[in-house]
Amino acid sequence: MNQIFYKTIFILLALSVFRNSAAGQEIFSLPEVVAYTLENNSEIKKSLIQEKIGYEVTKEVRSTALPQVMASGNYTNNLLLPVLVVPGELTGNPGEVSTLEVGLDYNNSIALSLNQPLFDKSVFTALKAARSSEELYALRVKKTKEEVVYRAVVLYYNVSILDRNIDILQSNLDQTNKLLEISSVQLDQGFIKQVDHDRLKVSKMNLEIQLSDLSLTRKNTIKQLQLIMGMDQGTILILENDEDKEVQLVDVPPMTNENLTDLNLLNVQKRLYELEKINFQSGYFPKLSFFANYAYNGISNDALFSGSDATTNWYDVSSIGLSLKLSLFDGFRRSAQSMQSQLKKEQVEESIEFTREQYSVDYANAQNKLNQSLSTLETRKTSVDLAQKVYDLSQKSYEEGLSDLTDLLSAETALTTAQLNYSAALLQVKISEIEILKSTGKLLESY
């Protein structure tokens, strides 16, 4: 029984330690990196908050079309009552002028007022503009997401290629260390010269320096990726080893205007300038509104408005009506404002045409870049295969004593260079794919 108890405690403790050790690290595939970035990136969060602000602005504009109800209260102490000058005949003093105090010492009133616009073209135009502004904010959020995801994906592939290059150099370093062990024995036995052994040492140091540089670059790139993702720098970010997936090309989508965020943003901006122009012109239209007022007033010489005081009186007042306003002349101010909106709209139209052409150029360039990168990748792959054959033959010849160490080191350097060049070409292929997705507005849908 005690053994079972102790074994159970040991298993629970082991699981606790495992959880604690794994709590500080995360393993991510590319889709998971994108999903995490979309949820936690600071720029995206700020754009979403700005979108919410836009919704509140729409509510604010909508309120101008709803009834406006006001309540007010007033309590007045007339320290000096107003005086009315009358002929003395009215007060029993013929031939003289008399003064009479008007009113009572205290006034009290409670009032309600209601105003409801019945026709105001500028209000209805502002409501349309507010709804278009909501679309504008949503597109800005999408644009922010596209830019952030683009940077995150590029950094992800950079880390992936750095890992590939580190593996290449580490493999070469391991092979060099083995050769050093063999050459040490051969040097002791007098089969090789000291200079050949020193060449291996130099080759090893060069590989170690390259590995150190790549490791530092990888560390910095990981930190930059974590910053884009919105991940705490204390978390250990581990990326899935998807080297086999790297050569799987995405399907090149066609370019359609409805997916192009920048173009859609400009179209919404054009619509807003059109509505702005209509809004300025709406000032020439009449404004009709309904109003209603009610007030309950009290007057008394008693500060407490006591009902027992003979001077205390309460009365109510109410009125309803229609208000019509029409601007007859404003010094051509609205005309100038309308023309400004028209000119701004024409500027946006020019930007729309340029942006459409820019997207077409970017799409064509991205396709050309992808084709060129694929051609380069194929050439680099052939170079790696040839360099590997040369290295294998050189290694065999060296082991059989048919060639010297210099030939082997040259073959090894050529192989390393070919492998690193292939990695660089592979990175260009992936970046070209991303740029095609971005130029067609399909970036967010692809991950």
Side-chain angles (χ1 to χ4, degrees), residues 222-268:
I222 281 288
K223 287 185 175 297
Q224 191 64 31
L225 178 57
Q226 286 179 305
L227 181 63
I228 294 294
M229 292 174 63
M231 177 181 287
D232 184 83
Q233 293 290 324
T235 303
I236 300 174
L237 175 60
I238 301 175
L239 303 182
E240 278 191 358
N241 184 7
D242 56 354
E243 183 175 316
D244 294 336
K245 300 178 184 177
E246 291 174 358
V247 293
Q248 296 180 1
L249 303 178
V250 299
D251 294 330
V252 179
M255 187 180 69
T256 55
N257 290 341
E258 58 267 19
N259 293 323
L260 307 180
T261 306
D262 285 338
L263 200 59
N264 291 333
L265 277 168
L266 288 171
N267 284 324
V268 174

Side-chain angles (χ1 to χ4, degrees), residues 279-304:
N279 186 52
F280 287 136
Q281 294 174 340
S282 299
Y284 295 114
F285 286 79
K287 297 179 181 180
L288 179 66
S289 61
F290 168 80
F291 67 84
N293 298 298
Y294 173 80
Y296 190 56
N297 302 315
I299 56 174
S300 179
N301 283 328
D302 181 10
L304 300 178

Side-chain angles (χ1 to χ4, degrees), residues 150 154 158 369 427-436:
Y150 175 82
V154 169
N158 270 279
K369 185 177 179 180
L427 178 60
Q428 287 304 311
V429 168
K430 301 310 296 182
I431 291 178
S432 298
E433 291 177 0
I434 303 168
E435 290 176 352
I436 283 184

Side-chain angles (χ1 to χ4, degrees), residues 16 85 92 108 138 200 225 228 231 246 293 354 365 432 443 445:
S16 175
V85 179
N108 198 1
L200 276 175
L225 178 57
I228 294 294
M231 177 181 287
E246 291 174 358
N293 298 298
F354 178 80
N365 289 343
S432 298
L443 183 62
E445 304 172 13

